[in-house]
């Protein structure tokens, strides 16, 4: 990155379509540039990390936590904005050690692998020329031992051990021949004497069928009579209900007629009373004359009183 192209590099760039030659070129270049990183992560993942950072020196300046999530920046910032869980791995997910781990252990292995990879990158970038890959191989052995211990803890938990060590019994095909043959219980045999048998009469099958037919023939007329009686009872009940309904309707009609007659009679009596009242209110002419004379006398008396006062 940032250096001049050699003839060897140009020749390899011109032959990019040939995949075996490209892989050999990548392998040789990574072993020369970053041997410890290639021993830990592999040629392809190491090359992707260097390309993502820009150069080996820029990658060496990064911490182990950033090496762990290189390539997952978009997911990281999205998780920080939405306040969700941050990603556990980025490009380092494609390493062979992370692929060997169980899904529950991938986060732990990727964290420890990123820490060791940061050390290996610094050794490659800042170490002396002609350095071997001893640091990367040592760290890889440590990581493999840690992965085995984590797998053992998981197996121990599933087996129910207290200290985390797995308790898995080894299958022995010669177990019956050895001293532990007495521990195997023999197979139980079938005991026919425990079966419960129903008591059978000495009658033949033909006689039993004849008796069943006679019973059915005897029961058939009785059931037909019961059905006929039940139908007659239902018809009688329906008739009685219809009669009651008609009586109720007739009674309602008679009651309505009587009420109408009473209302008509009451209306006639009210009209007669109103006529009588009107007649009583009318006055005779003699009565009217007497009332007029009384009013005149009252007015004359008032005039005389007024004259005397004056």
């Amino acid at each position: 990155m940032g250096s001049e192209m050699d003839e060897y590099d140009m020749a390899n760039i011109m032959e990019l379509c040939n995949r075996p030659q490209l892989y050999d070129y990548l392998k040789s270049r990574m072993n020369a540039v970053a041997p410890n990183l290639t021993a830990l992560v592999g040629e392809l993942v190491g090359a992707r990390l260097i390309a993502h950072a820009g150069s080996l020196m820029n990658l060496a300046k990064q911490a182990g936590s950033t090496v762990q999530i290189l390539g997952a920046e978009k997911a990281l910032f999205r998780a920080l904005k939405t306040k969700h869980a941050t990603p556990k791995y980025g490009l380092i997910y494609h390493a062979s050690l992370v692929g060997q781990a169980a899904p529950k252990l991938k986060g732990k292995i990727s964290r420890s692998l990123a820490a060791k990879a940061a050390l290996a990158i610094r050794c490659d970038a800042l170490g002396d020329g002609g350095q071997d890959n001893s640091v990367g191989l040592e760290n890889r052995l440590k990581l493999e031992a840690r992965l085995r211990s984590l797998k053992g803890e998981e197996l121990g938990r599933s087996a129910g051990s207290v200290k985390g060590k797995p308790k898995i019994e080894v299958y022995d095909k010669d177990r019956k021949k050895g001293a532990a043959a007495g521990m195997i219980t023999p197979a139980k045999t079938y005991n026919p004497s425990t079966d419960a048998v129903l008591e059978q009469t000495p009658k033949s099958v033909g006689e039993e069928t004849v008796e069943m037919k006679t019973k059915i023939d005897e029961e058939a007329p009785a059931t037909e009579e019961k059905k006929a009686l039940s139908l007659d009872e239902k018809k009688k009940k329906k008739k009685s209900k219809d009669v009651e309904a008609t009586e109720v309707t007739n009674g309602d009609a008679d009651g309505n007629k009587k009420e109408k007659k009473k209302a008509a009679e009451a209306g006639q009596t009210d009209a007669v009373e109103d006529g009588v009242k009107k007649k009583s209110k009318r006055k005779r002419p003699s009565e009217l004359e007497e009332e007029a004379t009384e009013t005149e006398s009252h007015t004359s008396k008032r005039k005389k009183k007024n004259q005397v006062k004056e």
Side-chain angles (χ1 to χ4, degrees):
M1 299 293 293
S3 61
E4 294 182 359
M5 298 293 291
D6 299 332
E7 293 181 358
Y8 179 69
D9 294 333
M10 284 298 296
N12 285 290
I13 288 168
M14 295 300 292
E15 295 176 358
L16 281 175
C17 295
N18 195 352
R19 284 186 176 273
Q21 289 182 3
L22 179 63
Y23 180 71
D24 293 336
Y25 167 70
L26 180 66
K27 188 175 180 180
S28 63
R29 292 296 292 169
M30 283 300 295
N31 284 322
V33 173
N36 294 304
L37 182 62
T38 53
L40 264 177
V41 176
E43 295 86 4
L44 186 60
V45 179
R48 285 178 178 175
L49 288 171
I50 294 169
H52 195 79
S55 67
L56 185 63
M57 188 60 69
N58 290 337
L59 188 61
K61 293 175 184 178
Q62 305 296 333
S65 58
T66 56
V67 173
Q68 181 182 353
I69 58 170
L70 271 178
E73 289 86 0
K74 193 181 288 185
L76 175 66
F77 293 123
R78 190 193 312 121
L80 291 173
K81 281 182 181 179
T82 58
K83 295 182 181 179
H84 285 82
T86 54
K88 295 179 181 179
Y89 26 67
L91 292 169
I92 209 168
Y93 178 79
H94 301 286
S96 61
L97 285 170
V98 180
Q100 291 173 11
K104 291 182 180 179
L105 304 175
K106 285 184 186 294
K108 292 181 180 181
I109 291 297
S110 64
R111 184 171 62 249
S112 55
L113 179 61
K116 298 296 182 185
L119 295 174
I121 291 162
R122 288 164 190 169
C123 289
D124 293 333
L126 305 172
D128 298 331
Q131 191 179 4
D132 57 355
N133 58 357
S134 59
V135 177
L137 292 174
E138 287 178 3
N139 290 330
R140 187 178 179 86
L141 292 173
K142 289 179 183 178
L143 290 172
E144 287 176 353
R146 177 165 171 72
L147 180 59
R148 283 195 297 271
S149 66
L150 289 172
K151 285 183 179 179
E153 286 178 4
E154 290 292 324
L155 289 172
R157 286 173 189 168
S158 62
S161 63
V162 179
K163 294 182 179 179
K165 294 180 181 179
K167 292 182 179 179
I168 302 169
E169 295 181 359
V170 181
Y171 176 72
D172 189 6
K173 62 180 181 179
D174 298 328
R175 186 179 177 186
K176 294 181 181 179
K177 299 177 183 178
M183 295 173 66
I184 300 170
T185 56
K188 292 182 179 180
T189 57
Y190 179 71
N191 189 8
S193 63
T194 58
D195 294 337
V197 182
L198 295 172
E199 294 181 359
Q200 294 181 357
T201 56
K203 292 180 182 180
S204 63
V205 178
E207 292 177 355
E208 289 178 356
T209 53
V210 170
E211 286 182 359
M212 290 293 289
K213 286 180 181 179
T214 53
K215 285 181 181 179
I216 292 165
D217 294 335
E218 290 175 358
E219 291 174 357
T223 54
E224 289 178 357
E225 289 178 359
K226 287 181 181 179
K227 287 180 181 178
L229 290 170
S230 63
L231 290 170
D232 293 335
E233 289 177 356
K234 287 179 180 178
K235 288 179 181 178
K236 287 179 181 178
K237 285 181 181 179
K238 284 183 180 179
K239 285 181 181 179
S240 62
K241 287 181 180 178
D242 294 336
V243 170
E244 288 177 358
T246 52
E247 288 177 356
V248 169
T249 52
N250 291 329
D252 293 336
D254 295 335
N256 292 327
K257 287 179 181 178
K258 289 178 181 179
E259 287 178 357
K260 286 178 181 179
K261 285 180 181 180
K262 287 180 181 180
E265 291 175 357
Q268 289 176 0
T269 54
D270 292 336
V272 171
E273 288 178 357
D274 293 334
V276 171
K277 287 180 181 178
K278 287 178 181 177
K279 287 179 181 179
S280 62
K281 287 180 179 178
R282 290 177 184 177
K283 293 182 179 180
R284 295 176 183 179
S286 59
E287 292 178 354
L288 293 169
E289 290 176 358
E290 290 177 358
E291 288 179 356
T293 53
E294 286 178 359
T295 54
E296 287 177 358
S297 62
H298 283 297
T299 54
S300 63
K301 285 179 181 180
R302 284 178 185 175
K303 286 179 180 179
K304 287 178 181 180
K305 284 181 182 180
N306 292 326
Q307 288 175 2
V308 170
K309 286 179 180 179
E310 290 174 356

